[in-house]
Amino acid sequence: MDENNLIRIPEPALNDFCIGVLTKLGVPRDDAKIVADNLIAADLRGVGSHGVVRLPIYIKRLIDGGTNARPDIITVRQTRTTAVVEGHNGLGHLVGVRAMEVAIKKASDGDCVFVAVRNSNHFGAAAYYAEMAARNGMIGLVFTIGAIDHMAPWGGAEAVLGNNPLAVAFPAPGDFPIVLDMACSVAARGKIIVAAKEGKPIPVGWATGPDGLPTTNAAEALKGVVVPVGGPKGYALTLTVGLLSTMLSGAFFGRDVGDLYEKTSEPQNSGHLFGVLPVAAFDEQASYAARMRKGIDDIKGVRRAPGSEQVFLPGEQEYLAKLVNLADGVPIGRLGR
């Protein structure tokens, strides 16, 4: 994001603002705190496409009745190592946190656990939930269905898939976990939304317009489809993530997926899948940490390519951005300028 198009807001002030807006719309204060923390965490990590920029659409859905401000989030089916969570059409960030909490609690005695979710909504950055597991000494796995169909199957010309993000977080010695958080498109649609709001072009290869041709016009790209990363491999990956996110819980898939932005009075029935692998179930924590340290040293210690100052681990640049933004203020784009 262009620094000249940013304002910086102290994290406590932005947090209070988000909580205040959500509680005005009927969201209980404790629930609003969870949603606000999730949104601001994305902005702190430099992932503005999944941060406070999304708050207006969540507000609109609450006002229009498409999202339930006071969901009764419950476990409707479970075994010792699995569960299905009913999100009751609540804000996805809240539903996601509650479901991952179920997974972590079930895994506290050493079992590997998977929790499927139905009747949720767009839940922001997947890394947030994977990191919850990593902070508890567990490898966290997160899959989610996209909140809008904006990708065509490979060889098709009609959008019936989302870009269906996934995240994996590994506990690691040091200050931050190793975190993969990726959408299955070349770029997350949220980045195109940000570019459109700022009136900026997007790189070639991110999306096609409504005519099916590649475009650098962000507004036209929002009318077309995003391009899968790796061509047919990305299509297969987004299909797989979509199936994992929905088929175990009964969440919507394919043509049934609602449009986050256009159908704001209708429930989305978004699905997620959360998995946790407790390190202690496989080996002593100290042994795991030693192997991770050796692996990290191997990666960080490679000979650098020309022009490269250092090799970053997945999640490292986001961690460094967080340190800067906590000190300088959360970067928020001046929308509409």
Side-chain angles (χ1 to χ4, degrees), residues 186-212:
V186 173
R189 192 171 189 268
K191 293 183 178 180
I192 301 175
I193 292 171
V194 171
K197 288 181 180 292
E198 295 180 348
K200 295 181 178 179
I202 59 172
V204 174
W206 277 20
T208 62
D211 56 3

Side-chain angles (χ1 to χ4, degrees), residues 199-245:
K200 295 181 178 179
I202 59 172
V204 174
W206 277 20
T208 62
D211 56 3
L213 298 175
T215 183
T216 60
N217 185 307
E220 288 300 298
L222 292 177
K223 301 174 186 175
V225 297
V226 295
V227 176
V229 62
K233 293 182 180 180
Y235 150 63
L237 182 59
T238 203
L239 174 62
T240 300
V241 173
L243 294 174
L244 284 170
S245 303

Side-chain angles (χ1 to χ4, degrees), residues 36-316:
D37 183 73
N38 186 302
L39 293 173
I40 295 170
D43 284 313
L44 285 172
R45 296 175 74 246
V47 188
S49 59
H50 287 67
V52 176
V53 70
R54 298 275 186 157
L55 187 59
I57 189 58
Y58 302 143
I59 291 170
K60 181 169 174 55
R61 292 189 60 82
L62 287 166
I63 292 172
D64 292 351
T67 300
N68 184 0
R70 293 179 172 270
D72 183 18
I73 302 169
I74 59 173
T75 298
V76 294
R77 183 185 180 97
Q78 64 179 318
T79 68
R80 187 166 55 86
T81 59
T82 66
V84 176
V85 168
E86 165 61 55
H88 200 207
N89 196 31
L91 287 157
H93 316 75
L94 176 64
V95 179
V97 166
R98 298 295 187 223
M100 182 54 94
E101 287 174 345
V102 170
I104 291 170
K105 183 177 180 180
K106 278 181 169 289
S108 61
D109 62 357
D111 285 320
C112 300
V113 173
F114 278 91
V115 174
V117 179
R118 69 187 186 211
N119 288 320
S120 182
N121 284 284
H122 186 269
F123 74 176
Y128 187 91
Y129 312 98
E131 287 189 355
M132 287 175 62
R135 288 194 296 271
N136 284 274
M138 306 174 186
I139 297 172
L141 308 170
V142 180
F143 308 93
T144 186
I145 193 77
I148 178 176
D149 282 341
H150 53 278
M151 184 187 292
W154 193 251
E158 180 182 1
V160 292
L161 294 167
N163 60 3
N164 300 347
L166 69 147
V168 182
F170 296 84
D175 296 324
F176 59 92
I178 295 176
V179 184
L180 164 71
D181 183 357
M182 62 170 284
C184 296
S185 53
V186 173
R189 192 171 189 268
K191 293 183 178 180
I192 301 175
I193 292 171
V194 171
K197 288 181 180 292
E198 295 180 348
K200 295 181 178 179
I202 59 172
V204 174
W206 277 20
T208 62
D211 56 3
L213 298 175
T215 183
T216 60
N217 185 307
E220 288 300 298
L222 292 177
K223 301 174 186 175
V225 297
V226 295
V227 176
V229 62
K233 293 182 180 180
Y235 150 63
L237 182 59
T238 203
L239 174 62
T240 300
V241 173
L243 294 174
L244 284 170
S245 303
T246 60
M247 293 299 157
L248 297 174
S249 65
F252 283 164
F253 176 82
R255 297 184 189 279
D256 292 331
V257 172
D259 190 312
L260 173 68
Y261 298 95
E262 299 297 328
K263 299 180 180 179
T264 55
S265 63
E266 299 179 15
Q268 286 207 282
N269 189 13
S270 293
H272 323 302
L273 180 67
F274 301 95
V276 291
L277 307 176
V279 170
F282 298 89
D283 200 358
E284 298 298 322
Q285 293 280 1
S287 297
Y288 168 86
R291 285 195 298 275
M292 286 295 292
R293 172 49 62 197
K294 171 63 166 56
I296 290 170
D297 290 344
D298 285 352
I299 296 297
K300 298 283 283 184
V302 300
R303 180 167 51 86
R304 299 185 186 93
S308 172
E309 294 184 2
Q310 67 169 301
V311 174
F312 290 101
L313 295 167
E316 184 174 2

